[in-house]
Amino acid sequence: MDLGRKVLGRRGFDQFMKMTFYGQFVAGEDHRAIKPLIQKNQAFGVGSVLDYSVEEDISQEEAEQKEMEYESCGITRHFSQDHRERKYKAHKQFGDRRGGVTAARTYFYADEAKCDQHMETFIKCIKASGGSSMDGFSAIKMTALGRPQFLLQFSEVLVKWRRFFNFLAAQQGQDGMEALEQRLELKQLQEFLTKLGAKGDFYGWFSGRKAESSGTIDMLDWNSLIDDRTKISDLLVVPNVELGELEPLLGTFTSEEEKQMKRMLQRMDVLAKYAVENGVRLMVDAEQTYFQPAISRLTLEMQRLYNKEKPVIFNTFQCYLKEAYDNVTMDVELSRREGWCFAAKLVRGAYMYQERERAKEIGYEDPINPDYESTNWMYHRCLDYVLDEIALNGNANVMVASHNEDTVKHTLRRMNELGLLPTENKVYFGQLLGMCDQISFPLGQAGFPVYKYVPYGPVNEVMPYLSRRAQENRGFMKGAQKERELLWKELKRRVASGDLLYRPAY
């Protein structure tokens, strides 16, 4: 890329990119330049998910320093060093989170002012989406809105709490069961925790909270303790493996971390309000697994507020993760109990190589499914669960974000079996701009809600995004050959039928 700039000059290089790779995968430099493409796609029944794809340009050394800064502040001093929790520690080799990432953009935390700038960028994107199309989406990244180190720490807290539930369930003979099938008997729970040294009244708290208490609690009940963490700190305890005793779960969750959480939620709240005002839905992108528990939890807080009547906030579930099904089913069940609209984008995942390398290097279990076939199985399992929920209760929404033709065919077949009509706008399809047009446009013409993920931004600032498109599309020519074959087949059909030109109603 640098050689190209030297040979062609800045302007010549930009022009060359616009005629080639940039023109294929990026819609334009700003919200005004992208309007023609958005409107053209819309004429063929294809909507847009706007994604301002500019990234922070930061050196490896700077990234390492930023990812390691919080360790020097003693943030990990009270947490056990269980190998399962090493995932949530900073690690020098993986300071630059762009390494090994093929399909997502990355932000780095500078300061609160920079986070506010990112929020303003997202606001412009939301306004551009609202002004360019009906029922559009705007993509946002949670790591752009706050301190990634906080997300790392909060993720550790959430995962520790969940693992403690799994440990307690195993003590009651429920090891290996699906997450929502595990139920703790309250009296046994109280007796066991008291023996461990806990002083809180778990039985009384849960019995008083549930009007018709069955004497048992599940994972969602257990997680509700985190919601009221300021009032019941004596209940929030976990085992310390090294010391062999219970310790406060939030022993290091200081008032400053509480403030950081509030600031992130405040920025999310601002974006959600702009989205509602502009008739746009927000798509919260998934990120690395060591951030994702916190990202999903904060997204869920926004869904509770803004998805009461219709889906405004969409969370993203990465189906290459071993725990994807548990994550989807728990959020669907929580939306049922609390009465808000479940809204999700299902993807396979963009961080596989980085995740595997990090797990191997640091020494924790690989969070990724072992092979592509098991990821496909997981994707379809999660998708079927949500489709069944839509058919049964009508209060869920899903975007099938996939370039896999078999997955799209599977979705259409299941929709037909369940009697789900495309006009209900409960099931959406999504592909990246410049890829799989042979899937997107036939779906749009057939009346299905289908969207292109539309990146935009100045040529020189979206190069990291374009480099990942190049890496991801090593099999691009194979797909291009198939598209040419389909185009030739369609051209011959039109010539034979005398319907050579198609003129959409702009």
Side-chain angles (χ1 to χ4, degrees):
M1 296 297 183
D2 290 337
L3 179 61
R5 286 194 183 93
K6 290 178 181 178
V7 173
L8 298 174
R10 172 67 178 275
R11 182 171 296 184
F13 177 78
D14 286 1
Q15 195 62 36
F16 171 76
M17 290 300 296
K18 287 180 180 179
M19 294 171 62
T20 55
F21 215 51
Y22 179 96
Q24 175 75 14
F25 296 111
V26 182
E29 297 207 22
D30 55 38
H31 64 279
R32 289 179 292 273
I34 66 178
K35 272 192 177 183
L37 182 139
I38 292 173
Q39 291 169 352
K40 182 179 179 181
N41 284 354
Q42 197 168 20
F44 288 90
V46 178
S48 298
V49 180
L50 293 196
D51 179 12
Y52 190 68
S53 292
V54 171
E55 300 181 9
E56 295 299 314
D57 189 9
I58 188 168
S59 69
Q60 171 69 20
E61 291 74 19
E62 290 173 316
E64 289 174 358
Q65 182 180 354
K66 289 182 183 297
E67 293 288 351
M68 296 295 290
E69 273 175 358
Y70 83 109
E71 282 200 340
S72 63
C73 299
I75 285 177
T76 62
R77 62 188 179 274
H78 291 305
F79 285 94
S80 67
Q81 296 296 315
D82 189 308
H83 72 278
R84 294 169 302 176
E85 289 156 7
R86 292 176 189 167
K87 179 193 295 189
Y88 305 99
K89 309 301 181 189
H91 194 277
K92 182 178 180 181
Q93 181 177 337
F94 302 94
D96 188 339
R97 294 181 284 110
R98 291 170 298 188
V101 179
T102 60
R105 69 200 187 286
T106 303
Y107 289 91
F108 294 90
Y109 177 84
D111 52 38
E112 293 298 309
K114 193 68 175 178
C115 292
D116 288 335
Q117 289 178 23
H118 290 151
M119 182 184 71
E120 292 299 326
T121 298
F122 289 145
I123 289 172
K124 291 177 183 176
C125 192
I126 291 168
K127 289 181 177 178
S129 182
S132 302
S133 62
M134 300 264 304
D135 296 325
F137 286 89
S138 184
I140 63 172
K141 281 268 191 186
M142 196 71 81
T143 48
L145 299 175
R147 197 166 184 253
Q149 290 90 334
F150 157 72
L151 293 174
L152 198 70
Q153 186 192 356
F154 189 35
S155 290
E156 181 178 21
V157 166
L158 294 170
V159 170
K160 275 190 171 185
W161 192 237
R162 182 168 169 173
R163 283 180 178 149
F164 191 26
F165 179 90
N166 292 333
F167 167 77
L168 294 168
Q171 299 305 305
Q172 296 190 16
Q174 300 181 49
D175 194 19
M177 296 173 63
E178 299 283 3
L180 279 177
E181 293 176 359
Q182 293 179 322
R183 301 192 69 86
L184 300 181
E185 205 283 323
L186 276 175
K187 288 185 177 178
Q188 288 186 45
L189 171 67
Q190 184 69 62
E191 290 171 3
F192 182 77
L193 290 175
T194 300
K195 288 180 181 178
L196 288 179
K199 299 177 181 178
D201 182 10
F202 288 86
Y203 184 87
W205 193 86
F206 280 114
S207 299
R209 187 177 163 89
K210 300 178 74 172
E212 298 178 4
S213 177
S214 61
T216 63
I217 60 169
D218 63 12
M219 177 75 83
L220 296 178
D221 298 319
W222 181 253
N223 286 342
S224 67
L225 285 168
I226 297 284
D227 294 336
D228 295 324
R229 59 189 174 275
T230 55
K231 303 174 185 175
I232 51 169
S233 58
D234 60 324
L235 300 185
L236 293 173
V237 290
V238 291
N240 183 306
V241 176
E242 290 181 338
L243 300 178
E245 61 186 35
L246 295 176
E247 66 178 9
L249 175 67
L250 302 175
T252 61
F253 210 71
T254 65
S255 59
E256 178 56 32
E257 272 84 48
E258 285 281 352
K259 290 177 183 177
Q260 288 179 15
M261 179 190 291
K262 288 178 181 177
R263 285 195 290 264
M264 289 187 85
L265 287 171
Q266 285 167 356
R267 292 184 183 106
M268 273 289 292
D269 190 61
V270 169
L271 295 176
K273 286 175 179 174
Y274 270 100
V276 171
E277 290 172 7
N278 288 271
V280 174
R281 290 156 292 183
L282 290 185
M283 193 80 73
V284 181
D285 284 345
E287 304 192 46
Q288 288 91 340
T289 55
Y290 41 93
F291 294 134
Q292 195 56 45
I295 290 171
S296 292
R297 183 57 184 242
L298 297 174
T299 302
L300 189 147
E301 295 298 327
M302 289 293 103
Q303 289 180 314
R304 284 169 159 163
L305 289 173
Y306 288 95
N307 287 13
K308 291 179 180 178
E309 297 179 2
K310 61 180 181 179
V312 175
I313 311 293
F314 280 64
N315 199 3
T316 300
F317 295 88
Q318 301 174 101
C319 295
Y320 66 2
L321 297 179
K322 295 173 182 176
E323 61 183 23
Y325 183 75
D326 283 347
N327 293 336
V328 169
T329 55
M330 284 197 295
D331 277 14
V332 169
E333 176 61 24
L334 188 64
S335 71
R336 284 191 203 124
R337 294 184 189 182
E338 297 182 348
W340 46 269
C341 299
F342 174 84
K345 176 178 70 170
L346 297 183
V347 301
R348 280 174 171 77
Y351 304 93
M352 182 176 71
Y353 299 112
Q354 185 192 77
E355 292 280 10
R356 285 201 161 133
E357 184 181 356
R358 192 177 192 271
K360 182 179 179 181
E361 180 68 25
I362 301 177
Y364 58 85
E365 182 185 350
D366 184 353
I368 309 295
N369 288 316
D371 50 44
Y372 188 74
E373 289 71 25
S374 56
T375 292
N376 275 346
W377 177 82
M378 180 66 77
Y379 192 106
H380 289 182
R381 189 184 186 202
C382 293
L383 175 59
D384 286 342
Y385 187 88
V386 180
L387 292 175
D388 288 341
E389 176 67 15
I390 294 171
L392 286 170
N393 299 313
N395 208 29
N397 303 263
V398 64
M399 175 173 281
V400 183
S402 176
H403 297 151
N404 187 303
E405 290 184 27
D406 291 337
T407 294
V408 173
K409 290 175 182 177
H410 174 85
T411 307
L412 296 175
R413 183 170 59 251
R414 290 284 290 131
M415 288 178 69
N416 186 54
E417 291 171 358
L418 295 168
L420 300 177
L421 302 175
T423 52
E424 295 176 25
N425 282 321
K426 296 288 186 180
V427 182
Y428 315 91
F429 296 87
Q431 289 85 38
L432 291 169
L433 181 69
M435 295 177 64
C436 293
D437 287 351
Q438 79 275 13
I439 293 177
S440 308
F441 286 92
L443 284 172
Q445 290 291 280
F448 289 89
V450 59
Y451 292 81
K452 284 292 191 184
Y453 230 77
V454 179
Y456 70 99
V459 175
N460 62 309
E461 295 185 38
V462 298
M463 294 310 296
Y465 175 85
L466 288 175
S467 68
R468 287 197 301 277
R469 293 283 71 74
Q471 184 179 356
E472 187 179 40
N473 283 279
R474 283 170 286 191
F476 179 68
M477 293 310 297
K478 185 177 179 181
Q481 176 64 32
K482 181 169 184 178
E483 286 201 34
R484 281 198 297 271
E485 291 172 359
L486 292 170
L487 286 169
W488 179 240
K489 183 178 178 180
E490 175 65 10
L491 181 59
K492 288 191 290 186
R493 184 196 69 78
R494 291 190 183 188
V495 169
S497 65
D499 185 24
L500 187 60
L501 299 177
Y502 175 75
R503 295 184 177 86
Y506 282 91

